[in-house]
Structures are given as C-alpha cells and as structure tokens.
Amino acid sequence: MTRPPRSPDKAATPGKAPVLAADDVRRLGELLYRRTGMIFGENKRYFIERRVADRMSATGMRSFLAYLSHIESNESEVEHLINVFTVNETYFYREEHQLRCLGRSLLPSIVENREPGDLVRIWSVPCSTGEEPYSIAIWLLENWPMVDAYHIEIVGSDIDTRVLLEAKAADYGERALSRLPSDVVERYFDPPRGGQRRLIQDLRESVKFTPANLVDAASVAAQGRFDVIFCRNVLIYFDDASRLRAANNLYDSLNSGGYICLGHTESMTRISKRFDLCRFEDAIVYRRPGRERDG
C-alpha cells in the first residue's frame, strides 16, 4: 500500500501549534485509543494540535517526532498527555433527578436487606474536579433521612490525575456552585476568597479519590465492588468496542442488585444486554441482576 507523502518534521515555533501530518495524527490517535478508549482523528485535528503544542512546550521538544519518541519511552509524559486530552465539564447537582432517584429509590432498595451500620459504596467515575461525588455527599446529607444509619463510602475516580488533585483541593467558582441553593452553599462551603469557595473539611474528607481507567479491567477491579455507580457522559466518547469493554468492567464492579446511572444521552441497552433496565419515578437506570452482595 502506498502511503501519502509525509511532510518534513519542522521545528515548532514556541507557543504555536505544530502542523501534524496525517500519519502523525493517526499514530497519536492510536496511542490515545489504546490507553483511554477515546477516539481522536482528523476531525479533531485542531484540538489535537493545540494539546500537543501544550505538551511540547512543557517538555521543551522542538519537533513532533522528538516528542513522539519521548512519550513512547516515558510513562509519566503519557499520563500528562492523557490529562490534556480529557474533557472536564461538570458542576454541582448536575442531572439532579438522578440524585433524587438515588435517595428515593436506589438506596432504599439496596439497604432493605441490610443492617444499620452496614457499608454502602457509591462510585462516581469519571469524577472530574469533584463536583459530582461531592454532590452525592451533600444531597444525601440534605435529603436522605437514613444517611447516618449506614456507613456510606463515596469514591471519585478519573483517568485524569490533574483533576483528581483539584478535586481533593475542592475550591470552586461561581459557575460550579450555580445550581446549589444559597443556604446549602452557606452550610457546606467556607466564605468566598478570591472568587472561590472551598468545601468544608468534613465534606472534603468524606470522599476518597483514586485514578481509574474504565477500559482497563485491572484498574477498575482495583476499586472494589459498589452498590451504585454514577458513570455519566463519558461512554459517548468511546467507539463500540471500547463502550462494551467499559460496560463489562462496570458490570463486574457492581454488587448483584447494584445500579448504574448514565448520562441522559447514553443508553446501556445499546451497549450490553447484561444489565436490567429499571424505570423509577425520577430516572431510568440500569441494574446488575441479583439481590445479594457479592464476595
């Protein structure tokens, strides 16, 4: 097969995105797909070139070929590269109807055969900068009367290690807080400082943050089993093969009878037949069949 001619690997001007040849875009897209399951191709060339420019500048690389050689032998730089390619769009109380469903339907179903003090595990993945797992904690404190009767463990995970650091810091601006009632903001956040408000310490300590890659079975298995998983607005970035791989990993992460909540544009029935579709008053969710906890 004859390849199209490759453009010379010109040195990049500092601060300016390099112009990548089609073969460069393909090679980088293949690397990102192998590691994340997300698709990056010619249709996202501008996005790709800007992100590559950021990392070339940070590493002092003057050409794309030099940078590609660098990442092929440097796991730490692969992590940085993945971080700049991930999309982090979230805010507190996003898709609030699912939080209502959690308190009114999912948790009552889960704890009906458990004793007070038993562990209930909830996973938010991807968690981005922490708004979603912290929203779960705040919502339960505000709206679920049984919150103190059980040991609730909330875990937030993301492939982007940079946003995990931001989640642990828990400093948020006006936009992130805009959906929260003002009295809730006053109760759970420190006074504003420099346009930011920090979540109170007790709430920061109530959520555990860990790195996880949804298409890596070992990475997902390391998080343990959960009763409820919030996995919203990430599967839309995968192709069919990666979606199925992620769905199987998520299925294995649920206790029998556990639930998974997806984004409003996502449907598990189009990906895997292993889950039961459940229609509740507030939301449609998906369930791993069975009643008892595994393991």
Side-chain angles (χ1 to χ4, degrees):
M1 180 180 293
T2 303
R3 290 188 177 184
R6 180 188 176 89
S7 59
D9 187 47
K10 297 178 180 179
T13 302
K16 185 177 180 181
V19 178
L20 303 183
D23 194 51
D24 297 333
V25 173
R26 179 189 61 77
R27 292 173 69 183
L28 192 67
E30 288 175 352
L31 182 149
L32 289 166
Y33 178 76
R34 289 196 304 271
R35 299 300 294 267
T36 71
M38 294 185 289
I39 305 296
F40 295 96
E42 276 290 342
N43 62 325
K44 296 182 180 178
R45 169 178 284 276
Y46 178 78
F47 180 86
I48 292 168
E49 289 180 342
R50 292 307 309 171
R51 270 45 182 190
V52 168
D54 290 343
R55 291 313 307 162
M56 286 175 61
S57 175
T59 55
M61 298 293 164
R62 296 296 306 278
S63 73
F64 176 74
L65 284 185
Y67 179 68
L68 187 64
S69 177
H70 178 63
I71 60 177
E72 287 175 345
S73 60
N74 189 315
E75 185 65 24
S76 175
E77 180 54 28
V78 173
E79 180 179 309
H80 288 303
L81 182 68
I82 289 171
N83 287 352
V84 299
F85 271 86
T86 54
V87 178
N88 300 294
E89 170 65 26
T90 188
Y91 45 83
F92 282 88
Y93 279 15
R94 187 180 191 183
E95 302 198 34
E96 188 175 341
H97 64 285
Q98 291 185 343
L99 297 174
R100 291 195 300 271
C101 186
L102 175 68
R104 290 205 286 208
S105 302
L106 307 188
L107 289 177
S109 169
I110 287 165
V111 303
E112 64 181 1
N113 294 319
R114 299 192 190 177
E115 299 296 325
D118 279 357
L119 177 66
V120 176
R121 301 190 78 220
I122 303 173
W123 192 21
S124 172
V125 57
C127 69
S128 187
T129 45
E131 289 92 332
E132 295 196 21
Y134 288 136
S135 288
I136 295 168
I138 292 172
W139 181 270
L140 294 181
L141 288 169
E142 289 288 298
N143 298 283
W144 193 44
M146 301 299 291
V147 66
D148 292 324
Y150 297 91
H151 177 198
I152 309 294
E153 180 180 323
I154 301 172
V155 178
S157 301
D158 205 287
I159 195 173
D160 186 338
T161 55
R162 175 192 53 190
V163 296
L164 291 176
L165 295 175
E166 294 182 34
K168 292 174 183 178
D171 289 315
Y172 299 103
E174 182 178 340
R175 183 183 181 280
L177 303 174
S178 62
R179 298 290 186 91
L180 291 176
S182 58
D183 60 318
V184 170
V185 173
E186 293 303 318
R187 276 197 294 278
Y188 295 105
F189 291 83
D190 293 336
R193 184 176 180 181
Q196 300 280 106
R197 300 190 70 146
R198 173 168 288 187
L199 194 71
I200 60 173
Q201 183 174 348
D202 284 351
L203 263 292
R204 295 199 306 272
E205 293 175 350
S206 72
V207 177
K208 176 184 177 182
F209 290 99
T210 64
N213 182 346
L214 284 174
V215 297
D216 182 344
S219 173
V220 173
Q223 314 306 319
R225 293 286 183 91
F226 295 89
D227 298 295
V228 181
I229 297 175
F230 286 81
C231 180
R232 305 189 290 195
N233 307 305
V234 65
L235 299 181
I236 54 175
Y237 295 103
F238 295 173
D239 67 357
D240 289 345
S242 295
R243 285 190 196 103
L244 181 58
R245 192 156 70 247
N248 286 333
N249 292 338
L250 289 165
Y251 182 92
D252 292 340
S253 294
L254 280 172
N255 283 318
S256 295
Y259 298 95
I260 182 167
C261 302
L262 301 182
H264 69 279
T265 64
E266 298 169 315
S267 171
M268 187 62 80
T269 57
R270 299 172 188 166
I271 304 171
S272 171
K273 303 301 182 184
R274 302 178 75 186
F275 297 82
D276 293 336
L277 184 148
C278 300
R279 299 179 185 272
F280 291 105
E281 177 183 357
D282 298 296
I284 294 174
V285 303
Y286 303 90
R287 180 173 174 268
R288 174 171 171 162
R291 295 299 303 170
E292 298 300 322
R293 282 177 289 178
D294 302 313

